[in-house]
Amino acid sequence: LQMVHPEDRKKVSDSVDEALKNLKNYEVEHRVLHEDGTIRHVQERGEVILDDEQHPVKIVGTVQDISVRVAAEQKIKELLDMSDKIITTATFGILVYDENGDCILTNEAAANIVGATQWQVLAQNFRRINSWKETGLIELAEKAIRTQREQQSEIRVRTTFGAERWLNCKFNIFKSNEKHHLLLIFEDITERKKSEETLKSAIEFNK
């Protein structure tokens, strides 16, 4: 245990003790601390060797360096955490639909904009949303799927949940686990549209 990182020694020791007690093989991942201070991650596998009377006499095994894999897993975790924070804190709506049209991801901003809870949004299938059909949003979504190209439009909509909004919508397609997904990012531009209408009315009045 001398080269095992001090924080991992109990874990390794417990794994070995349990293997000897139960006469079973063991597998444990831990860190190794070298004399120069470098730390490597390893996967240790051990097999309990028994004598003729089925008593343990020694343990033989292998130690494999898995530092590259652990580093990659950590990087992926950091990226996923970052993505989760971006989705959670974004002020614009983010929705993801699977190939069947079912919503599989929504952020809080999306739910707030359409006047619903996140659970209500997740229960929807975009091909069955009346407001999408009425505003032409469904045609835009299907075009994005068909052409595999970004589609964008500003629409005025009364959502399924009664909220009246002007929305700037952008559709994109991405692939995950060999399956295509539809990504909708949308921004509430209602106040901007109201300002534009007010300005337009003022201009017309002063003509």
Side-chain angles (χ1 to χ4, degrees):
L1 293 176
Q2 185 176 357
M3 292 187 64
V4 176
H5 192 286
E7 295 177 2
D8 294 345
R9 286 175 184 171
K10 187 178 186 306
K11 177 172 67 172
V12 175
S13 179
D14 288 347
S15 296
V16 173
D17 290 344
E18 185 177 353
L20 291 171
K21 179 181 177 181
N22 298 316
L23 305 181
K24 292 183 178 179
N25 299 341
Y26 74 92
E27 180 178 318
V28 61
E29 293 183 6
H30 62 85
R31 291 165 293 176
V32 170
L33 181 61
H34 291 280
E35 291 182 359
D36 62 0
T38 59
I39 296 175
R40 306 294 294 178
H41 291 261
V42 300
Q43 183 178 59
E44 180 178 328
R45 292 187 177 95
E47 179 183 355
V48 178
I49 304 300
L50 307 177
D51 60 18
D52 293 338
E53 297 179 356
Q54 299 301 298
H55 295 139
V57 291
K58 62 180 178 179
I59 292 179
V60 297
T62 60
V63 177
Q64 179 183 3
D65 190 329
I66 58 170
S67 300
V68 173
R69 192 200 77 192
V70 171
E73 290 174 348
Q74 182 61 33
K75 188 65 176 178
I76 291 171
K77 183 179 183 300
E78 291 173 0
L79 290 173
L80 289 174
D81 288 344
M82 184 186 301
S83 298
D84 185 60
K85 288 177 182 177
I86 292 172
I87 291 171
T88 302
T89 61
T91 57
F92 48 85
I94 301 174
L95 297 173
V96 176
Y97 298 88
D98 65 16
E99 291 181 331
N100 298 318
D102 293 321
C103 184
I104 60 173
L105 183 148
T106 177
N107 65 343
E108 187 175 353
N112 290 337
I113 292 171
V114 302
T117 66
Q118 287 179 270
W119 290 112
Q120 286 175 313
V121 176
L122 285 169
Q124 291 188 308
N125 181 300
F126 79 80
R127 291 190 173 94
R128 295 196 290 269
I129 301 176
N130 288 332
S131 60
W132 282 44
K133 298 175 182 177
E134 294 166 358
T135 59
L137 204 58
I138 192 166
E139 283 84 0
L140 204 65
E142 296 291 6
K143 185 177 180 180
I145 294 171
R146 184 175 65 256
T147 63
Q148 302 285 297
R149 301 182 72 175
E150 179 183 294
Q151 303 296 325
Q152 184 173 1
S153 181
E154 293 184 357
I155 63 164
R156 187 174 186 176
V157 62
R158 181 180 179 87
T159 72
T160 305
F161 310 99
E164 294 188 7
R165 300 280 190 269
W166 269 99
L167 302 176
N168 181 21
C169 302
K170 183 184 294 185
F171 287 102
N172 275 290
I173 302 298
F174 70 94
K175 204 170 185 179
S176 177
N177 295 326
E178 300 303 315
K179 294 183 179 180
H180 288 96
H181 294 75
L182 176 69
L183 169 66
L184 169 58
I185 296 177
F186 61 100
E187 179 186 8
D188 185 351
I189 57 172
T190 306
E191 292 305 315
R192 193 196 84 193
K193 285 293 186 179
K194 287 180 179 179
S195 297
E196 290 175 355
E197 286 296 324
T198 300
L199 180 60
K200 183 179 178 181
S201 296
I203 293 172
E204 290 293 329
F205 180 79
N206 290 317
K207 280 185 177 180

